[in-house]
Amino acid sequence: MEVRNTFGKPIHEIEYVEEMDIVEATWFSAASKKEIKQALSLSLMVHEQMHCSYRLDDITKLAVQRADVRTWLQKAWLPLACRAGIAYVAYIDDLSSFGEAAGEANHAGCIGSLVEVRFFTDRESGLNWLKSNQTAGL
């Protein structure tokens, strides 16, 4: 599934990777709050349809003030994500762009109390963490 901005440029792609049982989302460019909300809402459908609790979000190329969408994530998206069955989210980001302290505050806040969230600087580390949570439940 792909979401495009008002200029027709792709901003978000999401797919279910069956062999890993992970929903992988990639952000490509700048996006408005409205476009981010649309993309995140649509991506919940993938989790619901696949009954997948694991999500990898690569936000390294997303040019937006992440703090601007945090309130919406906590109040609107998070309850929907929980109902969709999301339990673990690995964010891939340059922590210096988001701020390591902000990432830790986010983890300890509302999102981290309902859905386990971790920040990583590379895809492989995020995937390894998600896989370890899958095998921990076996």
Side-chain angles (χ1 to χ4, degrees):
M1 180 183 302
E2 184 178 83
V3 176
R4 295 179 175 270
N5 65 16
T6 54
F7 304 106
K9 186 175 181 179
I11 60 165
H12 183 256
E13 184 178 276
I14 187 162
E15 70 174 302
Y16 174 66
V17 184
E18 186 174 1
E19 61 273 7
M20 292 190 285
D21 190 29
I22 291 172
V23 172
E24 189 164 357
T26 305
W27 296 88
F28 296 108
S29 63
S32 68
K33 283 188 240 181
K34 181 180 177 181
E35 292 163 342
I36 290 171
K37 290 176 184 180
Q38 177 190 12
L40 288 171
S41 296
L42 289 172
S43 71
L44 289 176
M45 291 186 320
V46 176
H47 283 279
E48 290 171 338
Q49 291 171 352
M50 300 293 117
H51 305 285
C52 183
S53 300
Y54 307 92
R55 180 182 181 94
L56 180 76
D57 251 304
D58 183 340
I59 58 174
T60 55
K61 295 178 184 144
L62 180 61
V64 66
Q65 292 288 351
R66 289 161 181 84
D68 289 347
V69 296
R70 183 173 177 207
T71 300
W72 178 82
L73 283 170
Q74 289 180 343
K75 292 184 178 178
W77 187 78
L78 180 61
L80 296 173
C82 289
R83 280 194 290 268
I86 299 173
Y88 300 93
V89 179
Y91 285 105
I92 311 306
D93 195 6
D94 172 12
L95 292 180
S96 65
S97 70
F98 186 31
E100 197 166 342
E104 288 303 314
N106 187 35
H107 169 66
C110 179
I111 290 174
S113 68
L114 297 173
V115 175
E116 195 163 345
V117 176
R118 293 284 189 269
F119 292 84
F120 301 91
T121 56
D122 63 277
R123 182 177 183 273
E124 194 63 33
S125 296
L127 284 173
N128 287 337
W129 177 74
L130 291 169
K131 289 176 192 176
S132 71
N133 282 294
Q134 289 173 333
T135 57
L138 296 179

